[in-house]
Amino acid sequence: MSIITITTDLGYRDPYLAMVKGMLYSKSPDTKIVDLSCNVNPHAHNEGAFALRSALPYFAQDTIHLFAVKFLNSSETIANLSVDNTRYLLTNYKGQYLICPDNGLFTLIDKEFNEPVYQLYFDNEKQHSFYLRDVFLDIAVKLVNKTPLEEFCAVTNEYCKLYAFETFATPGNLQGMVLYEDDFGNLITSITRQEFEKHVGNKRFSIALPANNITKIYTTYDDVKIGDVVCFFNSMDLLEIASLGQSATKIVIKRNVLSKYKIDRIIVDIYD
């Protein structure tokens, strides 16, 4: 049985996702479809990339991942970054297939990405408007059926490369970003346990937020009372800021009005 996952910003209110699944089941009835993350914020392709990157290690070899979240910004920015939302790519990354627009996904998942990349063939421009259904679905079925790659794509060395924000340290602090806000309002940051232990260790520290000042790392949500802010390393070993029983976003993070994707800087001040 083949597995196909979908990561998209289509959501569940409209019929679009059902159209994709219905057509996929009609063409490949034995396929298992997994909604990896289908309610990504509109055009928040960094958010979608984080969800896919986090889930990849848990899927079997030959899983096919359809990533349908476009990168939207000003025309000038898109041109400078070499983003092309009307060009579609395929790669085999660690034994799993990734299909996406040419929007920097591969290097957002892995900054050291160096696998062969293929540009997909498709029939006409009308397929752009619903590329998940009209382009990606057919490619996925071809992969399920073991169709030779040369029949539907060609190797390309030119594709968009975007890179996720990396945590960095100065003599007095450790700086990271909020990578993802889950449905509970928990804020997952780019700061890893390894980075925190290396730069902070047993020193005193503080994370200054608009309504809170964090000075302690806990083990789990249940170490605090309902409504209290808790900071701990989650199952991905990333520093997470949460509030037991409430949304941490509404309590502790001041939204950057210029940040469409809700990403804010997190600074850990370190004291001797």
Side-chain angles (χ1 to χ4, degrees), residues 167-176 191 195-196 199-200 203-207 265-272:
T167 301
F168 66 93
T170 71
N173 61 48
L174 183 63
Q175 299 193 30
I191 299 173
E195 289 167 335
F196 190 91
H199 298 287
V200 181
K203 297 178 182 177
R204 291 185 303 112
F205 72 92
S206 67
I207 304 173
R265 185 71 54 87
I266 296 294
I267 300 176
V268 182
D269 289 312
I270 305 168
Y271 309 105
D272 293 328

Side-chain angles (χ1 to χ4, degrees), residues 158-201:
E158 296 182 2
Y159 56 92
C160 175
K161 298 179 179 68
L162 299 179
Y163 297 92
F165 178 90
E166 291 190 345
T167 301
F168 66 93
T170 71
N173 61 48
L174 183 63
Q175 299 193 30
M177 295 289 281
V178 174
L179 298 176
Y180 190 81
E181 176 190 335
D182 68 17
D183 279 349
F184 292 96
N186 303 324
L187 302 167
I188 301 172
T189 79
S190 63
I191 299 173
T192 67
R193 183 192 298 271
Q194 183 180 14
E195 289 167 335
F196 190 91
E197 290 177 350
K198 176 182 177 180
H199 298 287
V200 181

Side-chain angles (χ1 to χ4, degrees), residues 122-128 135:
F122 58 94
D123 294 330
N124 59 67
E125 293 184 358
K126 292 181 180 179
Q127 294 173 285
H128 290 313
V135 179

